[in-house]
Amino acid sequence: MSTMLEVSGLSHRYGAGAKAHTAVNDLSFTVEAGQLASIVGPSGCGKSTLLRCVAGLTPPTEGTVSLHGDRVSGVPDDLAVVFQDYSRSLFPWLSVQKNVEFPLRWRPISRAERRKRAAEALEHVGLSAVGGKYPWQLSGGMQQRVSIARALASRPSLLLMDEPFASVDAQTRFELEDLTRRVQREEGSTILVVTHDIDESVYLSDRVLVLSKSPASIVADLPVGLPAERDQITTRESAEFVTLRGEVARLLHGGTPTSAQSSAAATAASDAAEWELAERAKNVTGSKTAS
Ligand SMILES: Nc1ncnc2c1ncn2[C@@H]1O[C@H](COP(=O)(O)OP(=O)(O)OP(=O)(O)O)[C@@H](O)[C@H]1O
């Protein structure tokens, strides 16, 4: 496994002097290539600030962010972000297909290639049939799928998602969570998701980073040893899921990490996650070779 994202000693302060407010305090973590990690933390703890620093939108006050070894000092070309508010991130005057193509205009690729990539990304999210429609003709869940397709079309090394399913209904949320996991498996994508939702953090991820109250620091880094194939009903009912969600909830409510997390159980879960990633990498390589 290679490291895709490395966050090292990252702090961010807004303002200066007596009015300075530290939003993020000395955060360090890595995300391996092909991994889906989620960040969960109390409201206002600094999650969006962290994501903005990772995306190169906000320079950290201290510390560094590196993407596949390159220091981030602006928005990297091979990074894409999906925001919560799909209605504001899509252009209403452009068709769905043109919305997905839009960020590719700055890439050194032909128009035909842009069209092809956008069509492929729309197919990936199950929206091939609506490329000619406008965003406002689609449901909220479909619009968020368009945002995901737009992010995928640029074939990012790292996909950041900031509360991506917070504005859709519960059923659509489940569908989009499953879509995200499918994309990760099929594309071998590296994904970092910020969420308020404890269950979502466990269901989606290979790993959950639990943040403290403001200023954000890492309270725990929990491997999720659930099977790769997840199901919205049976996975959420499983003993492993219930235990993990309970642990995340406990940590969010100020609990300290238990010895169990550093014990053989955590090691086994981490081994399982590594194995799963290796299998996924093999599948991706296999499917790319076959195509
Ligand atoms: N531009 C800014 N100027 C000053 N303070 C800010 C700015 N942006 C955020 N903050 C403060 O930094 C802290 C962290 O904010 P941030 O939005 O990163 O938290 P969050 O965890 O994403 O919040 P939420 O869960 O509510 O989305 C908050 O106290 C917020 O008021």
Side-chain angles (χ1 to χ4, degrees):
M1 263 195 292
S2 61
T3 299
M4 181 59 76
L5 173 70
E6 181 171 11
V7 172
S8 180
L10 186 140
S11 299
H12 189 72
R13 266 188 308 282
Y14 289 106
K19 290 197 174 161
H21 175 78
T22 303
V24 173
N25 187 37
D26 193 20
L27 282 184
S28 295
F29 63 92
T30 55
V31 179
E32 302 305 309
Q35 197 169 50
L36 198 164
S38 51
I39 290 182
V40 64
S43 185
C45 77
K47 299 182 294 296
S48 297
T49 303
L50 167 63
L51 216 72
R52 290 178 63 81
C53 291
V54 169
L57 292 162
T58 299
T61 318
E62 278 151 42
T64 56
V65 175
S66 302
L67 190 60
H68 43 61
D70 299 330
R71 175 109 174 237
V72 169
S73 57
V75 183
D77 281 347
D78 53 351
L79 180 140
V81 189
V82 173
F83 295 100
Q84 173 183 341
D85 195 350
Y86 50 81
S87 61
R88 285 201 301 183
S89 63
L90 298 175
F91 299 117
W93 60 89
L94 291 181
S95 69
V96 164
Q97 167 85 21
K98 295 274 184 218
N99 262 284
V100 176
E101 278 179 33
F102 191 79
L104 301 177
R105 287 184 183 191
W106 288 273
R107 293 287 171 93
I109 54 175
S110 67
R111 211 168 154 196
E113 178 64 19
R114 281 207 304 263
R115 281 196 191 141
K116 181 168 157 274
R117 284 199 196 178
E120 279 170 7
L122 281 171
E123 191 182 342
H124 217 111
V125 302
L127 289 182
S128 291
V130 300
K133 293 201 175 197
Y134 289 88
W136 42 270
Q137 294 178 300
L138 307 181
S139 69
M142 288 165 94
Q143 289 182 52
Q144 192 58 313
R145 277 173 192 260
V146 176
S147 303
I148 295 171
R150 186 172 61 184
L152 292 177
S154 63
R155 300 183 182 163
S157 297
L158 179 66
L159 176 59
L160 299 176
M161 304 178 99
D162 192 2
E163 296 280 357
F165 316 132
S167 303
V168 297
D169 62 86
Q171 181 57 37
T172 306
R173 186 174 192 134
F174 282 2
E175 285 168 18
L176 291 174
E177 286 170 359
D178 288 332
L179 169 71
T180 304
R181 284 196 53 80
R182 182 165 59 77
V183 161
Q184 182 213 7
R185 280 208 307 281
E186 292 176 1
E187 297 283 303
S189 312
T190 312
I191 306 178
L192 185 62
V193 181
V194 163
T195 177
H196 276 116
D197 188 309
I198 295 172
D199 286 20
E200 181 167 275
S201 71
V202 174
Y203 183 80
L204 268 181
S205 319
D206 302 314
R207 229 171 109 205
V208 181
L209 293 161
V210 183
L211 300 187
S212 66
K213 277 192 252 176
S214 178
S217 60
I218 294 177
V219 176
D221 184 347
L222 303 174
V224 176
L226 296 169
E229 286 299 329
R230 297 182 193 175
D231 174 88
Q232 292 287 357
I233 308 295
T234 54
T235 301
R236 286 172 188 268
E237 285 173 350
S238 69
E240 299 96 309
F241 183 89
V242 173
T243 304
L244 264 167
R245 75 174 298 285
E247 184 57 9
V248 175
R250 196 183 67 76
L251 290 163
L252 280 174
H253 285 91
T256 47
T258 62
S259 56
Q261 277 159 231
S262 53
S263 72
T267 311
S270 159
D271 287 350
E274 274 202 30
W275 178 85
E276 195 186 307
L277 279 173
E279 287 300 298
R280 244 181 246 150
K282 268 195 256 164
N283 289 341
V284 170
T285 316
S287 62
K288 282 191 177 148
T289 317
S291 61

